Amino acid sequence: MNSVRITSLIALLFLATVLWSIPAQAEEEEISELDAELVDTANTLKTAGLESDLAWNLTEDLLTKVGPRFAGTEGDRAAVSWALTQMRELGFENIQAEEVEVPRWVRGEIDVEITGPYPQPLVAVALGGSIGTEDGGIEAPVRKVHDIEELESLNRSQVEGHIVYFSQRMERTRDASGYSEAVANRSSGPALASEMGAVAAVIRSIGSSDERVAHTGGTHFPEDVKRIPAAALSNPDANLLERQLAEGRPVTLRMELTSRNLEPTKSANVIGEIPGTDPDAGVVLLGAHLDSWDITPGAHDAAACVGIITAAARLIQEMDEPPRRTIRVVLFANEEFGLSGARTYTENRRHQLDDHFVGIGADLGAHAVWRFETRMNEDSLPLGRAFHQVIKDMAMHDDETIELGGNDAYGIPDFIPLREAGLPILDPMQDARPYFDIHHTINDTLDKVDPEELKQNVAIYTALTWLAANVDGDFRPVPEED
């Protein structure tokens, strides 16, 4: 090999060494934003989380002893009692059941069928907020639209007297964006259909299951809009309906529902704390919702989430060194049908919201965490990146690391009122693909929870909570929302 080639090779090797060292140097700089002892304790807590069965035991106990816990039902009241007992037994302090007024909706029975041109029964589930039909049900021709945008493009004469069918298929995505793109058909579609003269609305389930189960969820009718019956079809039954519509002949549906609204009743946010050593340092808020839909035990949505955040706080409580900031666990009432608990919590603390240092929530189930996002001021972003460095090695597969996302974290729905008031957020994101296969269905059961993925969640939440409870700085003000 001649001297020129040797010199070139040496130069290339030097360049490669420099390029390789840049990310390592950047990581060292980011991690140096944190006190070394703080990081050591976070690493110890990661190990403790991977070895702990507490989240599993809590999840199993809630599903076994309570099961479905829809707002305002006996199951809901049993869940509140269960949560208070668990917090007392685990040694939480300042435990309270904060009274929350919740709506009371009864699902009743449902029967949906194609009556022409080829009669067939369909698997369907009423949407939360639907009214019932008169005796004998409703029978009307189907007006198919893809989504709300297409419905808005129609004339009233094309919709009036029809059952509007929203056909948009939810895309199965890791980041839940497919759900975000389709869910307006459920939440707002029936009300728009009513305003345009429709007698009822049906949607393709906002979920990715190929099984013959329908995904429920809430729909919202403004006070000045007439309520109409509204239901979701299982994906296989939506396919059947579309095959008949594709022939170009009129298709008629008959729907009979006995859904009804009752007077509001009472539930509660269940709150417990791990007190910090500095009462002026603020609160780290750990949030999940305690309720589920009436048709499901809600293992991932959100019993396992209750287990994750409760276990994270308990593991920190077991440390010899208490946290600097108070860690507050809030199990919110009625997330599924109106965020009643979240709104009550925020309203009751409207003069104390600046005391909330950061929120860390769980409401995307207990599948593997693959991404970490933040919502904090730009000056604090180096801390956010340092937090990420502490957990990045926690991916479930050896060939992956936890990704670092942007600074536009959404957090959980229960944080919406708090986020609007400026709550900073740390957001570990679970894999949404398997979650929306079972979301809001009868199939969201304990056997769908992977114990090892659950432990991974606990380890990550515990480490992040410890860091947030002890780090110097202020994450406010957060970026303004679009």
Side-chain angles (χ1 to χ4, degrees), residues 114-133:
I114 299 173
T115 54
Y118 311 111
Q120 292 206 45
L122 301 177
V123 171
V125 64
L127 297 181
S130 172
I131 63 168
T133 60

Side-chain angles (χ1 to χ4, degrees), residues 128-164:
S130 172
I131 63 168
T133 60
E134 296 182 359
D135 291 344
I138 293 172
E139 186 171 0
V142 175
R143 169 63 64 186
K144 175 179 175 289
V145 297
H146 179 259
D147 54 16
I148 285 179
E149 185 177 357
E150 182 178 351
L151 179 58
E152 290 175 329
S153 72
L154 300 180
N155 297 321
R156 182 181 179 89
S157 61
Q158 296 173 282
V159 177
E160 196 165 17
H162 287 72
I163 296 174
V164 171

Side-chain angles (χ1 to χ4, degrees), residues 363-377:
D363 191 20
L364 199 58
H367 297 292
V369 174
W370 67 282
R371 186 178 178 92
F372 173 65
E373 297 183 346
T374 60
R375 191 176 195 90
M376 57 180 64
N377 64 62

Side-chain angles (χ1 to χ4, degrees), residues 131 190-195 197-199 221-229:
I131 63 168
L192 177 59
S194 175
E195 288 184 293
V199 296
F221 290 88
E223 289 187 6
D224 60 345
V225 175
K226 177 184 176 182
R227 292 175 181 262
I228 58 174

Side-chain angles (χ1 to χ4, degrees), residues 335-347:
E335 182 270 347
E336 298 292 11
F337 196 44
L339 299 178
S340 306
R343 301 187 194 285
T344 297
Y345 178 91
T346 305
E347 175 61 23

